[in-house]
Amino acid sequence: ASLTAGTAAARVNGQGVTLLNAIGALNFTNLGIYNQNSTGLSVGGMGLALSSTAGTVDTVNSTTLSINGSQTDLVLDSVVHSGAGAGVAVTGGLTGIGTGGRALQVGALNVTSASTNGISIGGNVNGLISFGAGSSIAGTAGSAISIGSGTGTLGFTYNGSVSQANNAALLSVAGHNGTITFGAGSTLSATSGTGLQFDNADGTYAFNGTTTLNGGDAGIDILNGSAGSFTFGAGATITS
């Protein structure tokens, strides 16, 4: 199935597409959602196996992609967010049903401002979530990226840029098992806030790109029984 709701020039004023407590299987060959002032794509409930092979979700002034307790294999070309809400918010758990456990693959996530997070992942999460080299996150009032997997195992990959100039973490990891990898082409920069925060982080963490922490209290804190493995490449610098 192919679905279009609004255009970049004529946005839907309100909810884009909402799929709550549906049952069965639904595959989109292409999604095009452009809206404002309410959630772009909202998915909730384990009864629906939702997948897509291409598409764009573009939302102004509300969360762009909201996944709550669902099973998915969403492949999207782009997710675009600005204003209130978050770029991508996973709550209440997620199970990846795609190849290798893929749950969400976004070619380019572009967050230019957010009242909360660029990416927020929580609940019991099992699967793979990835964001491509065209991704960028900036202007978030909360942590630019916030990750937890509960009792699940999450593989998270990010290959774009993240900047944090507000009084919040660039990356907050709490209660995570699995892997978190920032690719060789990634660029992370914090000029304010608390930098990289790890709380009960028991996975494998690799920062293979450029990581610059040089403002506020922006450093690296590994706390509360974190038993993970941490690797920082030659491109990591902390200055005060």
Side-chain angles (χ1 to χ4, degrees), residues 117-168:
N117 314 104
I119 300 168
S120 176
I121 301 171
N124 298 326
V125 181
N126 286 286
L128 304 176
I129 296 176
S130 65
F131 300 88
S135 299
S136 62
I137 299 173
T140 61
S143 300
I145 300 176
S146 176
I147 299 175
S149 64
T151 61
T153 301
L154 167 65
F156 176 92
T157 303
Y158 188 93
N159 289 304
S161 67
V162 184
S163 62
Q164 178 58 282
N166 292 320
N167 188 25

Side-chain angles (χ1 to χ4, degrees), residues 35-50:
N35 76 306
Q36 60 190 12
N37 300 323
S38 192
T39 306
L41 174 60
S42 179
V43 183
M46 283 290 186
L48 177 67
L50 179 66

Side-chain angles (χ1 to χ4, degrees), residues 4-17 32-40 58-60:
T4 300
T7 66
R11 295 178 180 273
V12 174
N13 188 25
Q15 292 183 343
V17 174
I33 301 172
Y34 300 84
N35 76 306
Q36 60 190 12
N37 300 323
S38 192
T39 306
D58 184 328
T59 301
V60 177

Side-chain angles (χ1 to χ4, degrees), residues 57-211:
V57 186
D58 184 328
T59 301
V60 177
N61 283 332
S62 191
T63 295
T64 302
L65 176 59
S66 173
I67 302 173
N68 184 359
S70 303
Q71 52 176 335
T72 65
D73 178 21
L74 292 174
V75 177
L76 298 169
D77 300 299
S78 60
V79 172
V80 182
H81 175 85
S82 64
V88 174
V90 176
T91 58
L94 174 64
T95 298
I97 58 174
T99 302
R102 182 178 59 202
L104 175 64
Q105 176 182 311
V106 178
L109 168 68
N110 296 118
V111 177
T112 54
S113 63
S115 62
T116 56
N117 314 104
I119 300 168
S120 176
I121 301 171
N124 298 326
V125 181
N126 286 286
L128 304 176
I129 296 176
S130 65
F131 300 88
S135 299
S136 62
I137 299 173
T140 61
S143 300
I145 300 176
S146 176
I147 299 175
S149 64
T151 61
T153 301
L154 167 65
F156 176 92
T157 303
Y158 188 93
N159 289 304
S161 67
V162 184
S163 62
Q164 178 58 282
N166 292 320
N167 188 25
L170 186 154
L171 171 68
S172 174
V173 178
H176 170 260
N177 294 285
T179 62
I180 295 177
T181 303
F182 290 89
S186 64
T187 303
L188 312 182
S189 172
T191 56
S192 185
T194 55
L196 310 180
Q197 299 290 307
F198 299 91
D199 184 334
N200 191 25
D202 298 327
T204 299
Y205 308 98
F207 296 81
N208 298 322
T210 301
T211 304

